[in-house]
């Protein structure tokens, strides 16, 4: 019997309606459209507005749409891996909350936190359950309500992030299609440069931590940029080399959408031309765990069975990695 691969068999996404434009940011902090566009490539991002709405509320429409597309019920899901850095609460896991909201009564689940690399870590982890034969339907969700952890008076972070959520279904494939290889890395020495300090066991929430702004995302942009641009490009090149792929073999590069300049550098290092790079950063900004599934969702109609895709990401931790997969439908 041929090896079982874990293949993506459905994808869907959700972004909130509210559009936060560069023009609106100009009225909030000392910035301008020209600076944001030239340094990041971002023109606008989506924000989840409304009382009582959290990350799981973006996952619900994304996953309901996915199940409808695939023609299965929520009760058929066996495992839910929810990749997020902005869970609804510290616990219970957002995977549990989502399971309840969609009626996934037969699934177990957990959250996976690897910042902007979360979705790559999530599908690699989910694939193990398929490849081992343990499960046949694994849902991997990547979503973040970044607006819940952004200080909208800090121009170094508020221009970058947005809210959004995507999801894929992993199922067994015996035609050799699906996840072929992945390289994932972590380096905790990067934690001082990109983090949310408050609310954990090191700095539990107090009046003081709130006064210090520890509940907001902090980023030392220049340092993160240097690590991101080198490591994301290196790991993408490494996975190509290890799988003897040339640029002409690759149908699509699906990069994490953190900064257009990092995406361009990665594509250049791989020798991939712009037409083969999924880029929607101009409309959504950085949605953290959401960027890669949102790209797959938006490009789904252009994907063909057998297409070779390289996914690549870099994020807080530091975490980074690359996945080589073939599209299965
Ligand atoms: C955040 C980022 C866009 C900032 O761009 P940068 O080119 O590094 O900009 P710098 O922080 O060096 O700032 C350059 C100048 O612009 C100013 N500036 C910073 N933010 C600004 C803003 N929003 N609008 C206008 N000016 C701004 C700075 O004050 C600085 O001014 P100075 O030269 O007078 O001191 C960039 O560093 C970045 O993308 N970092 C990595 C993000 C990332 O990949 N994250 C990892 C995954 S989540």
């Amino acid at each position: 019997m041929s090896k079982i691969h874990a293949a993506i068999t459905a994808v869907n996404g959700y972004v909130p309606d509210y559009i936060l434009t560069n023009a609106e940011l100009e009225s909030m902090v000392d910035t301008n459209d020209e600076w944001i566009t030239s340094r990041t490539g971002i023109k606008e991002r989506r924000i989840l507005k409304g009382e009582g709405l959290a990350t799981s509320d973006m996952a619900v429409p994304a996953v309901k749409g996915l199940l409808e597309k695939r023609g299965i019920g929520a009760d058929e899901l066996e495992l839910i891996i929810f990749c997020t850095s902005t869970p609804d609460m510290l616990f219970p896991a957002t995977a549990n909350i989502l399971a309840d909201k969609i009626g996934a009564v037969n699934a177990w689940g957990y959250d996976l936190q690897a910042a902007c690399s979360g979705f790559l870590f999530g599908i690699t982890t989910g694939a193990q359950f398929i490849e081992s034969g343990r499960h046949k339907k694994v849902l991997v969700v990547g979503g973040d309500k970044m607006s819940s952890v952004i200080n909208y008076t800090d121009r170094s972070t508020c221009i970058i992030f947005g809210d959004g959520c995507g999801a894929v279904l992993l199922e067994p494939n015996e035609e050799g299609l699906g996840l072929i290889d992945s390289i994932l890395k972590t380096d905790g020495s990067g934690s001082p440069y990109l983090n949310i300090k408050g609310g954990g066991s090191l700095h539990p929430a107090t009046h003081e931590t709130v006064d210090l702004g520890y509940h907001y995302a902090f980023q030392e942009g220049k340092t993160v940029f240097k690590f991101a641009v080198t490591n994301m490009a290196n790991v993408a090149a490494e996975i190509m080399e290890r799988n003897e792929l040339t640029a002409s073999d690759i149908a699509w590069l699906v990069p994490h959408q953190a900064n257009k300049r990092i995406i361009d550098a990665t594509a250049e290092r791989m020798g991939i031309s712009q037409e083969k790079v999924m880029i929607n950063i101009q409309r959504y900004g950085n949605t953290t765990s959401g960027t890669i599934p949102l790209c797959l969702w938006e490009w789904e109609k252009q994907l063909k069975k057998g297409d070779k895709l390289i996914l690549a990401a870099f994020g807080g931790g530091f975490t980074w990695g690359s996945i080589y997969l073939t599209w299965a439908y």
Side-chain angles (χ1 to χ4, degrees):
M1 202 177 88
S2 57
K3 179 182 184 303
I4 297 171
H5 286 269
I8 294 174
T9 56
V11 58
N12 205 42
Y14 173 83
V15 289
D17 293 334
Y18 189 86
I19 298 174
L20 175 58
T21 61
N22 288 352
E24 188 177 350
L25 281 168
E26 281 179 21
S27 71
M28 295 157 68
V29 288
D30 181 16
T31 191
N32 59 77
D33 175 53
E34 200 282 320
W35 193 96
I36 301 172
T37 307
S38 61
R39 298 286 177 125
T40 70
I42 302 167
K43 284 287 190 191
E44 56 191 46
R45 56 301 283 142
R46 300 300 180 101
I47 304 294
L48 183 64
K49 297 262 186 187
E51 271 304 297
L53 295 177
T55 299
S56 69
D57 295 297
M58 295 188 291
V60 169
V63 174
K64 281 189 172 166
L66 176 145
L67 296 172
E68 212 174 288
K69 272 186 182 177
R70 185 71 187 91
I72 60 168
D75 57 348
E76 293 179 62
L77 297 173
E78 292 162 77
L79 167 62
I80 298 174
I81 301 176
F82 203 126
C83 314
T84 185
S85 298
T86 51
D88 288 15
M89 298 183 247
L90 273 182
F91 74 86
T94 307
N96 300 25
I97 296 167
L98 175 66
D100 180 52
K101 286 182 175 175
I102 62 173
V105 290
N106 296 311
W108 66 289
Y110 56 90
D111 288 0
L112 189 154
Q113 201 283 92
C116 294
S117 309
F119 188 72
L120 297 192
F121 284 41
I123 51 175
T124 302
T125 309
Q128 310 306 309
F129 291 94
I130 299 284
E131 289 168 10
S132 68
R134 174 81 183 255
H135 291 313
K136 294 206 161 24
K137 286 188 172 50
V138 174
L139 178 74
V140 182
V141 183
D144 276 289
K145 185 188 172 188
M146 291 306 292
S147 62
S148 66
V149 292
I150 293 301
N151 176 356
Y152 284 95
T153 65
D154 173 8
R155 67 178 182 173
S156 68
T157 51
C158 74
I159 58 152
I160 295 171
F161 293 98
D163 301 339
C165 183
V168 298
L169 185 68
L170 297 177
E171 292 186 84
N173 182 291
E174 292 189 29
E175 296 176 81
L177 300 170
L179 267 75
I180 311 291
D181 194 13
S182 70
I183 303 174
L184 303 174
K185 313 234 185 196
T186 46
D187 177 359
S189 69
S191 71
Y193 310 110
L194 182 51
N195 58 47
I196 297 174
K197 295 178 190 67
S201 56
L202 179 61
H203 299 292
T206 61
H207 286 290
E208 197 193 353
T209 64
V210 172
D211 289 345
L212 289 166
Y214 280 10
H215 53 298
Y216 292 131
F218 165 83
Q219 171 167 259
E220 205 179 289
K222 255 197 187 341
T223 310
V224 176
F225 186 90
K226 265 192 251 164
F227 276 93
V229 83
T230 314
N231 287 313
M232 200 162 124
N234 282 350
V235 79
E238 189 183 338
I239 208 160
M240 281 175 73
E241 218 174 282
R242 173 156 123 172
N243 291 280
E244 295 172 1
L245 294 168
T246 62
S248 60
D249 296 322
I250 295 163
W252 295 99
L253 166 64
V254 194
H256 171 53
Q257 314 279 309
N259 185 311
K260 174 75 164 48
R261 290 182 291 147
I262 299 173
I263 297 172
D264 291 346
T266 304
E268 196 179 317
R269 175 79 193 281
M270 297 166 72
I272 304 250
S273 53
Q274 282 277 320
E275 323 83 71
K276 296 207 285 186
V277 186
M278 297 186 189
I279 302 174
N280 57 16
I281 191 171
Q282 66 281 8
R283 285 179 289 119
Y284 302 144
N286 182 350
T287 55
T288 303
S289 297
T291 58
I292 290 178
L294 285 174
C295 280
L296 293 174
W297 168 54
E298 290 207 330
W299 268 263
E300 184 189 16
K301 288 202 169 66
Q302 295 179 59
L303 293 168
K304 293 189 289 295
K305 189 172 175 177
D307 274 356
K308 294 181 166 68
L309 273 58
I310 300 286
L311 283 45
F314 184 91
F318 294 132
T319 56
W320 67 102
S322 188
I323 285 180
Y324 164 39
L325 63 83
T326 48
W327 199 248
Y329 62 97

